[in-house]
Amino acid sequence: VSFHPIAFDNIKYLLEGHIYDLDLSNDLIIQDRNERLNQAKWQKEYDITFALEDLSNFQCTFKLLSELNNIASELLESNLDEQLSGVHAEMIFTIKGPLTTVQVDKIVHLLKGFWGQNRAFDVIKIEKLFPKETEYLFVVKFERLIYEEQMENLAELVEVCVRTLEEIDNIL
């Protein structure tokens, strides 16, 4: 029996390699990395969080998710739709500290400019009482799967994440 990597594994490997290369060249700093297998839902999830070198109050988390139907479409020899053999992706830009309404609006406008109007965008405000902190999550969701055939675009997606962080710095 040989190991057959699925699209999730191949895409994750390429994404991670590109981000680590940027970390080694001091273009960004990796702050966290997680890989989970949810056996209750049969999902694989991976995320990697990074920030610009000299900035620590905001960061980007690039997240990949593969669900049961995505995994099964590759591993089972059946009539499952090959169009399911991909991963879901989202980018989460986290900013610590209070923001004005004008800053939030500018960041949303920036994200729509960089990522396109056809993406789903969420803005989540988290207020912690103890210790008293405010945090904003700006979530960019791809409404379609990313396939292995599109892996060469991952480097460009990471570069857009880095440019987004640089532009967020200008807004803050």
Side-chain angles (χ1 to χ4, degrees), residues 118-164:
N118 59 341
R119 305 273 180 250
F121 297 94
D122 292 329
V123 179
I124 303 164
K125 180 179 180 182
I126 300 169
E127 292 193 42
K128 299 177 184 176
L129 297 177
F130 301 105
K132 189 168 177 63
E133 294 176 349
T134 303
E135 188 174 86
Y136 286 84
L137 307 178
F138 295 86
V139 183
V140 179
K141 296 179 184 177
F142 280 70
E143 294 288 287
R144 59 172 181 76
L145 292 174
I146 295 177
Y147 301 102
E148 284 181 294
E149 296 80 26
Q150 300 166 315
M151 286 194 311
E152 64 274 359
N153 298 338
L154 288 175
E156 184 180 334
L157 289 177
V158 173
E159 295 299 330
V160 174
C161 288
V162 171
R163 286 198 313 268
T164 302

Side-chain angles (χ1 to χ4, degrees), residues 35-46:
E35 189 166 351
R36 291 174 284 284
L37 174 62
N38 183 332
Q39 291 180 320
K41 296 179 182 178
W42 286 100
Q43 295 176 332
K44 289 182 85 168
E45 187 176 323
Y46 171 79

Side-chain angles (χ1 to χ4, degrees), residues 1 16 23 39 47 72 78 84 108 147:
V1 177
E16 187 174 58
D23 183 73
Q39 291 180 320
D47 63 69
S78 69
L84 295 174
V108 169
Y147 301 102

Side-chain angles (χ1 to χ4, degrees), residues 16-86:
E16 187 174 58
H18 186 68
I19 292 174
Y20 272 91
D21 286 346
L22 291 172
D23 183 73
L24 288 171
S25 65
N26 294 319
D27 291 322
L28 55 81
I29 294 176
I30 295 172
Q31 297 181 328
D32 195 18
R33 178 189 171 283
N34 298 287
E35 189 166 351
R36 291 174 284 284
L37 174 62
N38 183 332
Q39 291 180 320
K41 296 179 182 178
W42 286 100
Q43 295 176 332
K44 289 182 85 168
E45 187 176 323
Y46 171 79
D47 63 69
I48 188 164
T49 301
F50 53 90
L52 300 178
E53 187 172 354
D54 59 345
L55 305 170
S56 60
N57 65 328
F58 59 94
Q59 60 195 20
C60 176
T61 301
F62 200 121
K63 190 176 192 178
L64 300 175
L65 174 71
S66 190
E67 299 176 309
L68 177 60
N69 60 348
N70 307 119
I71 297 167
S73 69
E74 284 191 76
L75 296 181
L76 298 178
E77 293 181 16
S78 69
N79 293 330
L80 287 174
D81 188 358
E82 287 186 15
Q83 293 300 313
L84 295 174
S85 299

